[in-house]
Amino acid sequence: MTSAIVMGGGLAGLLTAKALTGHVDSVTVIEGDHYPDTPSPRRGLPQGYQNHMLMGGGADAIEALLPGTLDRLQAAGAHRRGMGDGLLMLSSEGWYRRFAGAPYVIACTRPLLDHVVRAQALTDPRLTVVTDTKVLGLTGDAHRATGVECEDADGTPRTIEADFVVDATGRRSKAPQWLAALGVPQVEEKTVDAGLGYAGRKYRAPEGAGADFPGILIQAEPNTGEPGRGAALMPQENGEWIVALMGTRGAAPPNDEDGFNAYARGLRHPIVAELIERATPAGPIRSARALANRRRFYEKLPLPEGFLVVGDAVAVLSPNYATGMSAAAKAAVALRDALAAGGLRAGLGREVQAEIAEIIAAPWQSAVVNDSGFPGVESDVQVRGLAFQHRIAARMSRIAAENPAVANAFYSIASLAARQKEAMGLPVLLAALRGAKKRPLSAQEAIAQFPELGGLLDRAPAHSGSEAGRRLVTE
Ligand SMILES: Cc1cc2nc3c(=O)[nH]c(=O)nc-3n(C[C@H](O)[C@H](O)[C@H](O)COP(=O)(O)OP(=O)(O)OC[C@H]3O[C@@H](n4cnc5c(N)ncnc54)[C@H](O)[C@@H]3O)c2cc1C
């Protein structure tokens, strides 16, 4: 009888557990929190209140592990948006033209996403979840992990043995300390902190905002010498929108009613402020801070046999780029494929840890390069040729704003649907050489590309939202 333990039953933990089923006789997920019965926020997932966009590459990976998940999500009200034709985007280089293309995102609340993934995963009878049980450490030695020490809700300590142990406890993972206690050297860690702050709020969408209402993204501009300020407005289930305001060091968005609205209005274009004036607040404004990029290089360690680290426990990627869940889902697929190729075996953990490092490399690099362009960034990563990389990124983004081949290549990479070398074919390289040819779109032209906005912006705001909002802020 072989067994595996997955520490942490969030998105990465459940997907990893599913990847293990069929290759070990029993898979047990140990989760410190209590799962809600409905798609609701929970204590162990504080980021669940904030906007979460699931990139297409991650959605495909989830679907590969848990077939039927995307249909269930859409049946529960999640929206699928083409990145080129379902998102109105103001980048640092201007408004993007609307293009059809394969890359896509899934928009819904994080609680709904987790609820559906959990329901799908737990239909597998080979997978058991033990909730309200906190992992305290690992058992074994520097050569082999043999299980975990944990504590039940009533404080009863327990040791559970396993042949394979996975850390999926997220950004607060204590794996560096747990490994050190077994005699494993300290893991190398790098942090790039642009001082990003979020403020997020749900709204009831106004009448006239149809089911195909586009997502709206205003990207924070690096390299201006000023803090970056951006916003996202995404349709969610139940006729709601979520609005995320985001700002880098020195411009964290406030969570009071007037400050929130003023921040949205002060962005490079006030479209988000104008839309929320026409919507009704459906919850308090919630902040999120401490959103630095952090990478732990476990693939460089002599990890004990039978041990693997996945999800945010390996790499916390700035939420600004919406890649954390997708990287975690792709890592679970990598584990599934490695198991399919040779089963549970010596060296499996290290082999998959190296593949996870490859999956993370591109989104990490792109987040690090972009975030290094904001003032006051605190970083222990030396980026070679940073100014040159920023110039290339800006040039490509300017071309992507007008060229469908380049835009779709960009979107494929950003959504983790393709690696750079797969996405950058000859037409893209030729377009890059030719450079931008068209005049940038005006805001009016860009917005007019989306009749799905339903003429909302032409209507007078029904109310400022302030009174309803003030009541909610003080809840
Ligand atoms: C503000 C914000 C916005 C974001 N937006 C996006 C986005 O748009 N798109 C995107 O892809 N990603 C986004 N992310 C990142 C995303 O939230 C993470 O990448 C994702 O949740 C990682 O999944 P995980 O399972 O590794 O960790 P988590 O989802 O954090 O799950 C960890 C689990 O481990 C449990 N746990 C922790 N410690 C213990 C313990 N000792 N014992 C037992 N259980 C334990 C927790 O209760 C939890 O259930 C955002 C993050 C933030 C903070």
Side-chain angles (χ1 to χ4, degrees):
M1 280 283 282
T2 53
S3 62
I5 288 179
V6 178
M7 307 183 278
L11 194 84
L14 289 171
L15 295 174
T16 305
K18 178 65 192 175
L20 283 157
T21 55
H23 302 283
V24 283
D25 297 308
S26 77
V27 183
T28 306
V29 176
I30 302 179
E31 167 55 48
D33 200 5
H34 192 80
Y35 292 140
D37 295 330
T38 54
S40 333
R42 62 182 178 88
R43 190 175 40 91
L45 195 75
Q47 72 266 40
Y49 290 101
Q50 302 292 337
N51 177 37
H52 271 71
M53 215 160 67
L54 175 63
M55 293 294 187
D60 291 345
I62 293 177
E63 186 66 18
L65 291 161
L66 298 168
T69 302
L70 296 186
D71 281 349
R72 276 184 80 164
L73 278 169
Q74 280 179 261
H79 301 266
R80 181 183 168 125
R81 292 286 178 268
M83 290 182 82
D85 64 358
L87 301 179
L88 167 61
M89 185 159 80
L90 176 58
S91 74
S92 308
E93 290 70 38
W95 294 94
Y96 269 46
R97 285 170 202 266
R98 190 175 189 180
F99 303 120
Y104 71 100
V105 301
I106 300 289
C108 65
T109 60
R110 176 68 194 267
L112 176 65
L113 177 63
D114 280 22
H115 184 79
V116 171
V117 165
R118 200 156 59 230
Q120 289 276 91
L122 297 185
T123 55
D124 192 324
R126 298 166 296 182
L127 199 161
T128 308
V129 180
V130 180
T131 56
D132 304 290
T133 300
K134 191 175 173 195
V135 176
L136 301 176
L138 296 169
T139 58
D141 57 29
H143 305 291
R144 168 166 282 283
T146 57
V148 302
E149 307 268 12
C150 48
E151 185 181 72
D152 293 347
D154 64 2
T156 312
R158 278 212 267 171
T159 300
I160 310 178
E161 294 189 347
D163 302 288
F164 198 73
V165 178
V166 182
D167 177 23
T169 55
R171 58 176 51 221
R172 286 166 207 83
S173 161
K174 299 242 172 357
Q177 295 92 309
W178 295 342
L179 287 168
L182 299 188
V184 178
Q186 198 60 42
V187 65
E188 180 186 341
E189 182 174 310
K190 300 259 187 234
T191 306
V192 178
D193 184 3
L196 183 71
Y198 260 50
R201 185 179 221 184
K202 287 208 282 183
Y203 291 84
R204 203 161 57 248
E207 236 175 87
D212 48 4
F213 198 82
I216 294 167
L217 300 180
I218 299 185
Q219 290 182 341
E221 263 187 301
N223 298 318
T224 62
E226 293 292 317
R229 291 180 173 80
L233 183 156
M234 295 301 294
Q236 309 272 276
E237 65 271 19
N238 300 328
E240 290 185 340
W241 292 339
I242 190 161
V243 171
L245 302 181
M246 49 203 96
T248 63
R249 184 161 284 109
N255 64 358
D256 66 282
E257 174 76 10
D258 293 335
F260 187 88
N261 292 338
Y263 193 99
R265 187 155 283 283
L267 294 172
R268 284 184 291 141
H269 190 275
I271 182 167
V272 170
E274 287 172 10
L275 286 168
I276 62 183
E277 278 177 8
R278 288 153 176 83
T280 311
I285 301 166
R286 293 181 188 270
S287 300
R289 298 285 187 269
L291 303 174
N293 301 279
R294 186 198 69 208
R295 174 101 167 74
R296 288 179 174 159
F297 294 83
Y298 287 108
E299 71 279 8
K300 295 186 186 173
L301 275 188
L303 281 178
E305 271 301 330
F307 185 70
L308 178 68
V309 191
V310 298
D312 276 16
V314 186
V316 181
L317 297 159
S318 164
N320 199 10
Y321 311 106
T323 48
M325 297 189 297
S326 294
K330 288 179 77 93
V333 171
L335 173 62
R336 181 200 66 176
D337 293 348
L339 283 162
L344 196 63
R345 58 189 182 274
L348 176 74
R350 288 189 204 168
E351 182 189 319
V352 176
Q353 204 70 66
E355 283 194 43
I356 292 176
E358 273 196 37
I359 291 166
I360 295 163
W364 167 259
Q365 181 66 12
S366 123
V368 164
V369 168
N370 204 55
D371 280 2
S372 299
F374 293 112
V377 63
E378 291 168 8
S379 170
D380 45 25
V381 176
Q382 283 285 341
V383 185
R384 258 189 263 142
L386 181 63
F388 177 72
Q389 291 203 51
H390 280 153
R391 275 203 304 280
I392 294 285
R395 177 184 166 89
M396 291 303 284
S397 173
R398 170 75 188 85
I399 302 167
E402 63 167 51
N403 180 303
V406 180
N408 280 316
F410 243 51
Y411 295 141
S412 298
I413 297 166
S415 64
L416 306 198
R419 296 188 185 194
Q420 194 161 335
K421 58 176 184 278
E422 296 157 350
M424 293 299 221
L426 192 60
V428 176
L429 295 175
L430 290 176
L433 283 176
R434 278 197 301 272
K437 296 283 174 226
K438 294 181 183 158
R439 158 185 80 71
L441 289 183
S442 68
Q444 211 182 3
E445 289 165 331
I447 293 166
Q449 300 180 107
F450 287 86
E452 295 87 344
L453 285 167
L456 278 185
L457 294 167
D458 303 331
R459 287 188 227 158
H463 58 83
S464 72
S466 299
E467 269 317 304
R470 270 193 196 97
R471 279 200 306 278
L472 285 162
V473 168
T474 52
E475 267 174 4

